[in-house]
Amino acid sequence: MSTILEDLNRKYVSRTPHMREIGLTVTAIAPARGTMTQPARPDWVGDPGRGMLHTGVLTVLADSACGLAVGAAMTERVPYATLDLRMDWLRPAGPDHDVHCEAHCYRMTRSVAFVRGEVWQRDRNDPIATAQATFMLSTPAGTQRASQLAETAKPVAAAAPSAPVEGVWQPPEGSAPVLPESPIPYIEFLGIRTVPGSAVPLFRLPYQTKLIGNPHLPALHGGVIAGFAETAALLHLVQTLGGAKLPKGIDFSIDYLRAGRPEETFAQCELVRVGARVALVQVRCWQSSPDRPIVVARGHFLLTDAQAERVT
């Protein structure tokens, strides 16, 4: 590995808790381009029955590689953050091979960077997913503000439960495993839980240091939040379908409204449409209050007959 790549892996990857935890590696760098690799690991399985990776894993990789490409396109270093990200799932990914993503920052204005990327496993010419992202670049005032946040922000420790305040949203106390009879590795890795007794399915992502993507603010990795949101959409859809059909991701897009602080995050979904073959699900994630979402997302899911899947 070249000195440049070693330096990038030391500064960009090793200092970022989530990238370091999942073993991401910068494998190539060029002007406005960056390639990263995520090693195969049993924890990344999202569908044990069909032997497929969880798409959240690919989103984390794509978001990281797209951010790398933005950095490689800059002539002057300024803070930047993901504004939105869209993933198109072209074919399932298996758990036995490393995953790679090459991203290209093809346009950069004073305020916004535009990036596209491709994700593949064994064959570069046979991608398993494509990514399209935009990043907001800080202005001089924004750079100063980011510097202030980096100096003052600290991880939020779990506080003792306080008495409910009328009119103020309070996090629910109950928590339960999502699928206790047949746990899914990637869901267990993230630590996603469900809130029992909720009128509308409510999911929670407890805070863990390994989920941090920006250690300077600090803030959760944008790909982790996307993976949580898509997991919530899938689980909500599975519960609604009652096992009659199995969903498979077609695309997933997410808009980042504010940084995810180092505290637990909640997600709730709305089924916009469930047709014979395709379902559309919207997701809202928040921390302090449902009225202050940190992201909103939407995804299309292909519905296949559960009995036909078992037969094949």
Side-chain angles (χ1 to χ4, degrees):
M1 184 178 294
S2 70
T3 303
I4 294 176
L5 293 180
E6 290 177 352
D7 192 51
L8 275 171
N9 280 300
R10 185 176 67 254
K11 294 181 178 179
Y12 183 59
V13 176
S14 296
R15 297 178 184 177
T16 304
H18 191 64
M19 291 187 192
R20 184 175 64 246
E21 173 70 25
I22 65 177
L24 280 185
T25 305
V26 178
T27 51
I29 194 74
R33 292 181 181 271
T35 302
M36 301 189 75
T37 294
Q38 189 159 320
R41 184 164 152 180
D43 288 336
W44 307 154
V45 174
D47 188 335
R50 291 182 282 188
M52 299 190 306
L53 291 185
H54 193 293
T55 49
V57 176
L58 310 183
T59 304
V60 170
L61 172 62
D63 185 44
S64 302
C66 287
L68 177 65
V70 173
M74 289 182 172
T75 55
E76 181 180 354
R77 303 295 298 178
V78 298
Y80 56 95
T82 315
L83 189 61
D84 62 46
L85 174 67
R86 175 189 166 102
M87 300 294 298
D88 290 303
W89 311 120
L90 308 182
R91 55 180 51 82
D96 300 325
H97 301 280
D98 296 349
V99 187
H100 317 274
C101 179
E102 181 183 20
H104 174 211
C105 180
Y106 61 92
R107 167 71 173 153
M108 181 177 284
T109 69
R110 184 178 180 183
S111 301
V112 181
F114 300 86
V115 191
R116 62 171 67 99
E118 285 193 337
V119 183
W120 73 95
Q121 286 187 298
R122 289 175 292 179
D123 187 352
R124 175 69 177 80
N125 296 315
D126 190 22
I128 57 178
T130 60
Q132 187 78 31
T134 56
F135 288 75
M136 177 62 71
L137 311 178
S138 285
T139 60
T143 303
Q144 182 178 7
R145 173 63 176 157
S147 177
Q148 293 170 350
L149 285 171
E151 292 178 1
T152 59
K154 295 181 179 180
V156 178
S162 57
V165 178
E166 185 176 356
V168 177
W169 183 80
Q170 294 291 326
E173 295 183 3
S175 185
V178 172
L179 298 168
E181 296 84 9
S182 53
I184 294 176
Y186 190 65
I187 292 179
E188 295 297 305
F189 171 78
L190 292 182
I192 297 172
R193 309 281 286 179
T194 187
V195 176
S198 178
V200 178
L202 179 63
F203 303 94
R204 70 195 314 161
L205 176 68
Y207 169 68
Q208 302 176 74
T209 302
K210 71 179 183 180
L211 304 183
I212 290 292
N214 184 333
H216 303 292
L217 289 179
L220 301 178
H221 194 293
V224 167
I225 299 174
F228 172 51
E230 189 167 11
T231 298
L234 279 163
L235 292 172
H236 187 107
L237 189 53
V238 167
Q239 292 177 12
T240 301
L241 298 173
K245 292 187 177 182
L246 299 176
K248 184 185 299 182
I250 299 174
D251 60 54
F252 194 77
S253 58
I254 183 167
D255 294 294
Y256 296 91
L257 308 180
R258 50 181 57 88
R261 290 171 54 80
E263 55 192 68
E264 74 173 337
T265 307
F266 296 86
Q268 207 158 47
C269 308
E270 176 190 357
L271 295 182
V272 179
R273 182 177 185 273
V274 179
R277 299 184 62 193
V278 175
L280 173 61
V281 186
Q282 289 185 342
V283 190
R284 174 186 294 252
C285 296
W286 71 88
Q287 292 181 320
S288 61
S289 169
D291 297 327
R292 284 180 55 81
I294 60 172
V295 303
V296 291
R298 64 195 298 269
H300 287 97
F301 298 90
L302 180 67
L303 306 179
T304 58
D305 183 75
Q307 183 62 35
E309 287 277 351
R310 283 192 287 269
V311 170
T312 57

